[in-house]
Amino acid sequence: MKAITTTGWGPNTKLILSEMDAPAKPGPDDVLVDVHAASVNPKDWKLNFHLAMAATPVGTQRLPPIFGDDLAGVVIAKGANVRHFEIGDAVYGMDMRLRTASLAEQARISQHRVAKKPKNLSFNEAASLPLAALTALQGLRKGGAQAGKSVLIIGASGGVGTLAVQIAKQMKMHVTGVCSTRNLDFVRALGADALIDYTKGDYRKTAGEFDIVFDVTSYETPLTCKALLGRKGHFISTGGQGMSMLATPLYRVLGKKADTVVVESYRQDLDTLADMVEQGTLKPIIDSVFPLEDSEAAYERNRSGRCRGKVVIEVLAD
Ligand SMILES: NC(=O)c1ccc[n+]([C@@H]2O[C@H](COP(=O)([O-])OP(=O)(O)OC[C@H]3O[C@@H](n4cnc5c(N)ncnc54)[C@H](OP(=O)(O)O)[C@@H]3O)[C@@H](O)[C@H]2O)c1
């Protein structure tokens, strides 16, 4: 099968199209999926390019690894314990712990980490959701999201942020989105009640107190957001980089409300997201679509840090 592999390890690694063996037949709890689409997450290039060896669980993955966590596709084989899916079902999901290896024509994934694809989405749209939407949902929940509460979403225009804005609105929260000037109208159209342009001065000192500060950029720490949190605010970080990785747990040790969301894939949460999509309260936001053979360009686009929503890799044209 065609799959994307790397030319090596480290920051100068390139992604190349290779011919590889198809995955072995599914284990008892797995499904084998004909991948129609995958999507790009910053984690892929951060971990895989910079900490590649440490991030690769030897024994579960060939070296060099096939990239990609998110997928949408069609079940072509299933293990003996799989009751929830039939051959021919359209599914979407991701498995970050075992790594889905979705930049390939076929992928094997646990039945617990996929769900039926929302009926009203194309494969490209469905593949854009799992990791980012699960992060948005689980991050908001971790912050104690509920109707009537206020949330500040820092990074509202990106892969996770565009979905967090919509999910918070679906939860009937008051949403303030932080983005740059060029994205103000875009984030407003997603449903944000209020907007802050981060290019116009240091909003962190003046914007008032929020029940939840959800820093999706992971540039911030509970200390840089102190004025935004007040005494009772809950700081949630996606924790992907910089001081937030250290500062958030330290802040919690001091008895403050601060957490890092570490995304997990559960079928139940994927079903919840699919319900929102089918009810029209959540829609995927796609920045750009690249064919499988142009995966390097897709990652380059994501590394720019300027994406509006998600970068999708089309493996099989819809
Ligand atoms: N812990 C977890 O489980 C988990 C899960 C998912 C993601 N993450 C991490 O979360 C982070 C975000 O992921 P993502 O997929 O949303 O990234 P992304 O799509 O690459 O984010 C790009 C967006 O960030 C905006 N942005 C950049 N600087 C900003 C700033 N200072 N303030 C506000 N917005 C800013 C950009 O808008 P402009 O172009 O207008 O600046 C762009 O729209 C990454 O570090 C990722 O590794 C962690």
mmCIF file of all heavy atoms in Angstrom, residues 42-43 46 96 131 135 154-161 178-180 182-183 198 216-219 238-241 260-263 302 305-309, ligand 1:
data_model
loop_
_atom_site.group_PDB
_atom_site.id
_atom_site.type_symbol
_atom_site.label_atom_id
_atom_site.label_comp_id
_atom_site.label_asym_id
_atom_site.label_seq_id
_atom_site.Cartn_x
_atom_site.Cartn_y
_atom_site.Cartn_z
ATOM 1 N N PRO A 42 -0.384 19.535 15.100
ATOM 2 C CA PRO A 42 0.966 20.003 15.443
ATOM 3 C C PRO A 42 1.770 18.941 16.205
ATOM 4 O O PRO A 42 2.975 18.827 16.030
ATOM 5 C CB PRO A 42 0.710 21.227 16.330
ATOM 6 C CG PRO A 42 -0.624 21.730 15.913
ATOM 7 C CD PRO A 42 -1.419 20.513 15.516
ATOM 8 N N LYS A 43 1.066 18.141 16.990
ATOM 9 C CA LYS A 43 1.748 17.085 17.733
ATOM 10 C C LYS A 43 2.557 16.155 16.824
ATOM 11 O O LYS A 43 3.650 15.713 17.186
ATOM 12 C CB LYS A 43 0.700 16.269 18.503
ATOM 13 C CG LYS A 43 1.198 15.091 19.219
ATOM 14 C CD LYS A 43 0.205 13.955 19.072
ATOM 15 C CE LYS A 43 0.898 12.674 18.775
ATOM 16 N NZ LYS A 43 0.846 12.202 17.410
ATOM 17 N N LYS A 46 5.760 17.906 16.038
ATOM 18 C CA LYS A 46 6.547 18.207 17.250
ATOM 19 C C LYS A 46 7.166 16.944 17.799
ATOM 20 O O LYS A 46 8.367 16.861 18.018
ATOM 21 C CB LYS A 46 5.656 18.825 18.320
ATOM 22 C CG LYS A 46 5.298 20.248 18.055
ATOM 23 C CD LYS A 46 4.532 20.766 19.229
ATOM 24 C CE LYS A 46 3.823 22.037 18.914
ATOM 25 N NZ LYS A 46 2.818 22.357 19.922
ATOM 26 N N MET A 96 -4.152 7.984 19.657
ATOM 27 C CA MET A 96 -2.855 8.622 19.816
ATOM 28 C C MET A 96 -1.877 7.737 20.571
ATOM 29 O O MET A 96 -0.684 7.769 20.334
ATOM 30 C CB MET A 96 -3.023 9.941 20.552
ATOM 31 C CG MET A 96 -2.028 10.974 20.100
ATOM 32 S SD MET A 96 -2.492 12.588 20.660
ATOM 33 C CE MET A 96 -1.654 12.660 22.206
ATOM 34 N N LEU A 131 -8.923 14.394 16.732
ATOM 35 C CA LEU A 131 -8.004 14.853 17.778
ATOM 36 C C LEU A 131 -8.340 16.263 18.248
ATOM 37 O O LEU A 131 -8.403 16.533 19.442
ATOM 38 C CB LEU A 131 -6.550 14.761 17.286
ATOM 39 C CG LEU A 131 -5.510 14.953 18.392
ATOM 40 C CD1 LEU A 131 -4.310 14.032 18.154
ATOM 41 C CD2 LEU A 131 -5.031 16.381 18.515
ATOM 42 N N THR A 135 -10.002 17.233 21.905
ATOM 43 C CA THR A 135 -9.235 18.130 22.778
ATOM 44 C C THR A 135 -10.118 19.281 23.242
ATOM 45 O O THR A 135 -10.116 19.645 24.425
ATOM 46 C CB THR A 135 -8.009 18.696 22.025
ATOM 47 O OG1 THR A 135 -7.236 17.611 21.518
ATOM 48 C CG2 THR A 135 -7.148 19.558 22.926
ATOM 49 N N ILE A 154 -8.124 31.276 23.917
ATOM 50 C CA ILE A 154 -6.940 31.907 23.319
ATOM 51 C C ILE A 154 -6.459 30.998 22.185
ATOM 52 O O ILE A 154 -6.114 29.843 22.421
ATOM 53 C CB ILE A 154 -5.819 32.100 24.369
ATOM 54 C CG1 ILE A 154 -6.340 32.855 25.592
ATOM 55 C CG2 ILE A 154 -4.624 32.812 23.747
ATOM 56 C CD1 ILE A 154 -5.331 32.973 26.740
ATOM 57 N N GLY A 155 -6.482 31.532 20.972
ATOM 58 C CA GLY A 155 -6.144 30.693 19.805
ATOM 59 C C GLY A 155 -7.402 30.201 19.124
ATOM 60 O O GLY A 155 -7.463 29.084 18.610
ATOM 61 N N ALA A 156 -8.431 31.071 19.096
ATOM 62 C CA ALA A 156 -9.775 30.669 18.652
ATOM 63 C C ALA A 156 -9.867 30.354 17.160
ATOM 64 O O ALA A 156 -10.853 29.769 16.713
ATOM 65 C CB ALA A 156 -10.775 31.771 19.003
ATOM 66 N N SER A 157 -8.855 30.717 16.372
ATOM 67 C CA SER A 157 -8.958 30.524 14.912
ATOM 68 C C SER A 157 -8.275 29.259 14.401
ATOM 69 O O SER A 157 -8.361 28.942 13.218
ATOM 70 C CB SER A 157 -8.355 31.744 14.197
ATOM 71 O OG SER A 157 -7.050 31.988 14.687
ATOM 72 N N GLY A 158 -7.610 28.495 15.279
ATOM 73 C CA GLY A 158 -6.834 27.340 14.822
ATOM 74 C C GLY A 158 -7.621 26.033 14.842
ATOM 75 O O GLY A 158 -8.848 26.022 15.002
ATOM 76 N N GLY A 159 -6.889 24.934 14.700
ATOM 77 C CA GLY A 159 -7.510 23.611 14.617
ATOM 78 C C GLY A 159 -8.391 23.304 15.818
ATOM 79 O O GLY A 159 -9.560 22.925 15.674
ATOM 80 N N VAL A 160 -7.855 23.473 17.021
ATOM 81 C CA VAL A 160 -8.629 23.182 18.230
ATOM 82 C C VAL A 160 -9.585 24.335 18.543
ATOM 83 O O VAL A 160 -10.749 24.126 18.905
ATOM 84 C CB VAL A 160 -7.685 22.933 19.436
ATOM 85 C CG1 VAL A 160 -8.480 22.679 20.705
ATOM 86 C CG2 VAL A 160 -6.739 21.753 19.161
ATOM 87 N N GLY A 161 -9.097 25.568 18.375
ATOM 88 C CA GLY A 161 -9.874 26.740 18.791
ATOM 89 C C GLY A 161 -11.200 26.894 18.061
ATOM 90 O O GLY A 161 -12.225 27.205 18.676
ATOM 91 N N VAL A 178 -9.916 34.862 21.388
ATOM 92 C CA VAL A 178 -8.714 35.675 21.150
ATOM 93 C C VAL A 178 -8.113 35.254 19.815
ATOM 94 O O VAL A 178 -7.820 34.069 19.610
ATOM 95 C CB VAL A 178 -7.676 35.483 22.273
ATOM 96 C CG1 VAL A 178 -6.413 36.301 21.969
ATOM 97 C CG2 VAL A 178 -8.255 35.853 23.628
ATOM 98 N N CYS A 179 -7.959 36.210 18.916
ATOM 99 C CA CYS A 179 -7.381 35.915 17.598
ATOM 100 C C CYS A 179 -6.752 37.195 17.047
ATOM 101 O O CYS A 179 -6.800 38.234 17.695
ATOM 102 C CB CYS A 179 -8.452 35.369 16.656
ATOM 103 S SG CYS A 179 -9.831 36.487 16.396
ATOM 104 N N SER A 180 -6.177 37.100 15.857
ATOM 105 C CA SER A 180 -5.565 38.291 15.252
ATOM 106 C C SER A 180 -6.615 39.037 14.418
ATOM 107 O O SER A 180 -7.711 38.511 14.156
ATOM 108 C CB SER A 180 -4.371 37.889 14.387
ATOM 109 O OG SER A 180 -4.835 37.134 13.293
ATOM 110 N N ARG A 182 -7.028 39.665 11.296
ATOM 111 C CA ARG A 182 -7.564 39.058 10.060
ATOM 112 C C ARG A 182 -8.599 37.969 10.360
ATOM 113 O O ARG A 182 -9.374 37.597 9.485
ATOM 114 C CB ARG A 182 -6.427 38.492 9.213
ATOM 115 C CG ARG A 182 -5.838 37.214 9.738
ATOM 116 C CD ARG A 182 -4.592 36.739 9.017
ATOM 117 N NE ARG A 182 -4.110 35.534 9.690
ATOM 118 C CZ ARG A 182 -4.320 34.304 9.275
ATOM 119 N NH1 ARG A 182 -4.980 34.083 8.159
ATOM 120 N NH2 ARG A 182 -3.879 33.277 9.962
ATOM 121 N N ASN A 183 -8.615 37.464 11.599
ATOM 122 C CA ASN A 183 -9.540 36.370 11.925
ATOM 123 C C ASN A 183 -10.752 36.800 12.747
ATOM 124 O O ASN A 183 -11.550 35.951 13.163
ATOM 125 C CB ASN A 183 -8.783 35.265 12.683
ATOM 126 C CG ASN A 183 -7.921 34.441 11.737
ATOM 127 O OD1 ASN A 183 -8.335 34.145 10.619
ATOM 128 N ND2 ASN A 183 -6.729 34.073 12.181
ATOM 129 N N TYR A 198 -5.438 39.981 19.581
ATOM 130 C CA TYR A 198 -4.201 39.904 20.368
ATOM 131 C C TYR A 198 -3.080 40.779 19.805
ATOM 132 O O TYR A 198 -2.056 40.980 20.456
ATOM 133 C CB TYR A 198 -3.742 38.446 20.531
ATOM 134 C CG TYR A 198 -3.100 37.790 19.322
ATOM 135 C CD1 TYR A 198 -1.758 38.010 19.000
ATOM 136 C CD2 TYR A 198 -3.810 36.907 18.519
ATOM 137 C CE1 TYR A 198 -1.169 37.383 17.902
ATOM 138 C CE2 TYR A 198 -3.229 36.285 17.423
ATOM 139 C CZ TYR A 198 -1.911 36.535 17.118
ATOM 140 O OH TYR A 198 -1.330 35.925 16.043
ATOM 141 N N VAL A 216 -5.488 27.535 24.057
ATOM 142 C CA VAL A 216 -5.302 26.508 23.039
ATOM 143 C C VAL A 216 -3.942 26.658 22.350
ATOM 144 O O VAL A 216 -3.414 25.706 21.795
ATOM 145 C CB VAL A 216 -6.480 26.607 22.032
ATOM 146 C CG1 VAL A 216 -6.219 25.799 20.803
ATOM 147 C CG2 VAL A 216 -7.776 26.170 22.702
ATOM 148 N N THR A 217 -3.354 27.864 22.430
ATOM 149 C CA THR A 217 -2.038 28.039 21.785
ATOM 150 C C THR A 217 -0.940 27.341 22.586
ATOM 151 O O THR A 217 0.104 27.015 22.046
ATOM 152 C CB THR A 217 -1.648 29.533 21.700
ATOM 153 O OG1 THR A 217 -1.462 30.031 23.029
ATOM 154 C CG2 THR A 217 -2.694 30.348 20.972
ATOM 155 N N SER A 218 -1.177 27.165 23.860
ATOM 156 C CA SER A 218 -0.214 26.658 24.860
ATOM 157 C C SER A 218 1.020 27.544 24.988
ATOM 158 O O SER A 218 2.047 27.095 25.474
ATOM 159 C CB SER A 218 0.123 25.177 24.647
ATOM 160 O OG SER A 218 0.773 24.928 23.433
ATOM 161 N N TYR A 219 0.889 28.813 24.587
ATOM 162 C CA TYR A 219 1.968 29.778 24.829
ATOM 163 C C TYR A 219 1.878 30.343 26.251
ATOM 164 O O TYR A 219 2.855 30.824 26.792
ATOM 165 C CB TYR A 219 1.869 30.988 23.875
ATOM 166 C CG TYR A 219 2.031 30.695 22.413
ATOM 167 C CD1 TYR A 219 1.323 31.428 21.457
ATOM 168 C CD2 TYR A 219 2.911 29.719 21.961
ATOM 169 C CE1 TYR A 219 1.475 31.190 20.097
ATOM 170 C CE2 TYR A 219 3.060 29.474 20.609
ATOM 171 C CZ TYR A 219 2.337 30.200 19.688
ATOM 172 O OH TYR A 219 2.483 29.964 18.347
ATOM 173 N N THR A 238 -3.486 23.458 26.477
ATOM 174 C CA THR A 238 -3.233 22.266 25.668
ATOM 175 C C THR A 238 -1.778 21.803 25.840
ATOM 176 O O THR A 238 -1.400 20.762 25.311
ATOM 177 C CB THR A 238 -3.517 22.520 24.172
ATOM 178 O OG1 THR A 238 -2.825 23.699 23.770
ATOM 179 C CG2 THR A 238 -4.996 22.664 23.905
ATOM 180 N N GLY A 239 -1.010 22.608 26.539
ATOM 181 C CA GLY A 239 0.290 22.176 27.074
ATOM 182 C C GLY A 239 1.303 21.654 26.090
ATOM 183 O O GLY A 239 2.191 20.895 26.465
ATOM 184 N N GLY A 240 1.180 22.047 24.839
ATOM 185 C CA GLY A 240 2.065 21.471 23.832
ATOM 186 C C GLY A 240 3.461 22.060 23.798
ATOM 187 O O GLY A 240 4.333 21.511 23.144
ATOM 188 N N GLN A 241 3.671 23.182 24.469
ATOM 189 C CA GLN A 241 4.991 23.793 24.327
ATOM 190 C C GLN A 241 5.299 24.772 25.456
ATOM 191 O O GLN A 241 4.417 25.210 26.176
ATOM 192 C CB GLN A 241 5.094 24.530 22.993
ATOM 193 C CG GLN A 241 4.025 25.571 22.777
ATOM 194 C CD GLN A 241 3.753 25.770 21.299
ATOM 195 O OE1 GLN A 241 4.378 25.153 20.460
ATOM 196 N NE2 GLN A 241 2.800 26.624 20.984
ATOM 197 N N THR A 260 -3.810 20.713 32.463
ATOM 198 C CA THR A 260 -3.424 20.514 31.067
ATOM 199 C C THR A 260 -4.318 19.415 30.517
ATOM 200 O O THR A 260 -4.504 18.388 31.186
ATOM 201 C CB THR A 260 -1.955 20.055 30.980
ATOM 202 O OG1 THR A 260 -1.157 21.073 31.576
ATOM 203 C CG2 THR A 260 -1.528 19.855 29.541
ATOM 204 N N VAL A 261 -4.870 19.639 29.345
ATOM 205 C CA VAL A 261 -5.682 18.576 28.754
ATOM 206 C C VAL A 261 -4.759 17.658 27.949
ATOM 207 O O VAL A 261 -3.905 18.110 27.198
ATOM 208 C CB VAL A 261 -6.831 19.145 27.879
ATOM 209 C CG1 VAL A 261 -6.327 20.045 26.786
ATOM 210 C CG2 VAL A 261 -7.664 18.021 27.264
ATOM 211 N N VAL A 262 -4.892 16.375 28.218
ATOM 212 C CA VAL A 262 -4.162 15.363 27.435
ATOM 213 C C VAL A 262 -5.236 14.539 26.746
ATOM 214 O O VAL A 262 -5.960 13.780 27.385
ATOM 215 C CB VAL A 262 -3.285 14.470 28.335
ATOM 216 C CG1 VAL A 262 -2.559 13.430 27.495
ATOM 217 C CG2 VAL A 262 -2.288 15.320 29.108
ATOM 218 N N VAL A 263 -5.350 14.738 25.457
ATOM 219 C CA VAL A 263 -6.509 14.200 24.746
ATOM 220 C C VAL A 263 -6.519 12.668 24.754
ATOM 221 O O VAL A 263 -5.481 12.022 24.664
ATOM 222 C CB VAL A 263 -6.551 14.748 23.301
ATOM 223 C CG1 VAL A 263 -5.388 14.267 22.471
ATOM 224 C CG2 VAL A 263 -7.878 14.403 22.616
ATOM 225 N N ASN A 302 0.901 23.379 8.215
ATOM 226 C CA ASN A 302 0.541 23.329 9.634
ATOM 227 C C ASN A 302 1.648 23.960 10.500
ATOM 228 O O ASN A 302 1.364 24.685 11.463
ATOM 229 C CB ASN A 302 0.277 21.888 10.061
ATOM 230 C CG ASN A 302 -0.330 21.797 11.454
ATOM 231 O OD1 ASN A 302 0.281 21.257 12.373
ATOM 232 N ND2 ASN A 302 -1.521 22.335 11.638
ATOM 233 N N GLY A 305 1.835 27.748 11.601
ATOM 234 C CA GLY A 305 1.140 28.297 12.766
ATOM 235 C C GLY A 305 0.033 29.276 12.396
ATOM 236 O O GLY A 305 -0.524 29.951 13.256
ATOM 237 N N ARG A 306 -0.306 29.370 11.129
ATOM 238 C CA ARG A 306 -1.275 30.361 10.649
ATOM 239 C C ARG A 306 -2.573 29.723 10.154
ATOM 240 O O ARG A 306 -3.372 30.368 9.498
ATOM 241 C CB ARG A 306 -0.670 31.211 9.496
ATOM 242 C CG ARG A 306 0.587 31.959 9.846
ATOM 243 C CD ARG A 306 0.290 33.310 10.501
ATOM 244 N NE ARG A 306 -0.036 33.271 11.906
ATOM 245 C CZ ARG A 306 0.842 33.290 12.908
ATOM 246 N NH1 ARG A 306 2.116 33.352 12.665
ATOM 247 N NH2 ARG A 306 0.435 33.276 14.161
ATOM 248 N N CYS A 307 -2.777 28.437 10.434
ATOM 249 C CA CYS A 307 -3.953 27.748 9.868
ATOM 250 C C CYS A 307 -5.248 28.269 10.463
ATOM 251 O O CYS A 307 -5.337 28.553 11.654
ATOM 252 C CB CYS A 307 -3.856 26.246 10.144
ATOM 253 S SG CYS A 307 -2.565 25.466 9.198
ATOM 254 N N ARG A 308 -6.250 28.345 9.612
ATOM 255 C CA ARG A 308 -7.624 28.611 10.060
ATOM 256 C C ARG A 308 -8.331 27.275 10.054
ATOM 257 O O ARG A 308 -8.759 26.821 8.990
ATOM 258 C CB ARG A 308 -8.332 29.509 9.063
ATOM 259 C CG ARG A 308 -8.090 30.968 9.249
ATOM 260 C CD ARG A 308 -8.892 31.670 8.194
ATOM 261 N NE ARG A 308 -8.982 33.084 8.473
ATOM 262 C CZ ARG A 308 -9.632 33.929 7.699
ATOM 263 N NH1 ARG A 308 -10.259 33.497 6.628
ATOM 264 N NH2 ARG A 308 -9.684 35.202 8.009
ATOM 265 N N GLY A 309 -8.437 26.631 11.185
ATOM 266 C CA GLY A 309 -9.005 25.289 11.208
ATOM 267 C C GLY A 309 -7.954 24.259 10.843
ATOM 268 O O GLY A 309 -6.755 24.476 11.052
HETATM 269 N N1 LIG B 1 -2.518 18.259 24.958
HETATM 270 C C1 LIG B 1 -3.193 17.769 23.944
HETATM 271 O O1 LIG B 1 -3.781 16.682 24.052
HETATM 272 C C2 LIG B 1 -3.258 18.556 22.661
HETATM 273 C C3 LIG B 1 -4.204 18.229 21.696
HETATM 274 C C4 LIG B 1 -4.302 19.024 20.559
HETATM 275 C C5 LIG B 1 -3.428 20.096 20.378
HETATM 276 N N2 LIG B 1 -2.477 20.355 21.319
HETATM 277 C C6 LIG B 1 -1.571 21.520 21.165
HETATM 278 O O2 LIG B 1 -2.400 22.681 21.097
HETATM 279 C C7 LIG B 1 -1.771 23.682 20.309
HETATM 280 C C8 LIG B 1 -2.757 24.223 19.267
HETATM 281 O O3 LIG B 1 -3.155 23.205 18.358
HETATM 282 P P1 LIG B 1 -3.954 23.613 17.046
HETATM 283 O O4 LIG B 1 -4.141 22.390 16.245
HETATM 284 O O5 LIG B 1 -5.148 24.429 17.418
HETATM 285 O O6 LIG B 1 -2.862 24.566 16.355
HETATM 286 P P2 LIG B 1 -2.955 25.415 15.022
HETATM 287 O O7 LIG B 1 -4.157 25.036 14.239
HETATM 288 O O8 LIG B 1 -1.626 25.317 14.363
HETATM 289 O O9 LIG B 1 -3.105 26.907 15.552
HETATM 290 C C9 LIG B 1 -2.969 27.922 14.615
HETATM 291 C C10 LIG B 1 -3.804 29.125 15.042
HETATM 292 O O10 LIG B 1 -3.234 29.722 16.202
HETATM 293 C C11 LIG B 1 -3.458 31.122 16.119
HETATM 294 N N3 LIG B 1 -2.485 31.842 16.952
HETATM 295 C C12 LIG B 1 -1.149 31.861 16.800
HETATM 296 N N4 LIG B 1 -0.588 32.647 17.758
HETATM 297 C C13 LIG B 1 -1.609 33.112 18.527
HETATM 298 C C14 LIG B 1 -1.677 33.957 19.674
HETATM 299 N N5 LIG B 1 -0.596 34.474 20.232
HETATM 300 N N6 LIG B 1 -2.891 34.200 20.211
HETATM 301 C C15 LIG B 1 -4.014 33.702 19.662
HETATM 302 N N7 LIG B 1 -4.009 32.907 18.562
HETATM 303 C C16 LIG B 1 -2.816 32.600 18.005
HETATM 304 C C17 LIG B 1 -3.259 31.411 14.637
HETATM 305 O O11 LIG B 1 -3.970 32.553 14.273
HETATM 306 P P3 LIG B 1 -3.187 33.830 13.648
HETATM 307 O O12 LIG B 1 -2.604 33.347 12.341
HETATM 308 O O13 LIG B 1 -4.242 34.827 13.459
HETATM 309 O O14 LIG B 1 -2.156 34.214 14.642
HETATM 310 C C18 LIG B 1 -3.855 30.165 13.961
HETATM 311 O O15 LIG B 1 -5.209 30.363 13.585
HETATM 312 C C19 LIG B 1 -0.517 23.030 19.730
HETATM 313 O O16 LIG B 1 0.586 23.416 20.515
HETATM 314 C C20 LIG B 1 -0.781 21.544 19.888
HETATM 315 O O17 LIG B 1 0.419 20.799 19.980
HETATM 316 C C21 LIG B 1 -2.376 19.613 22.447
#
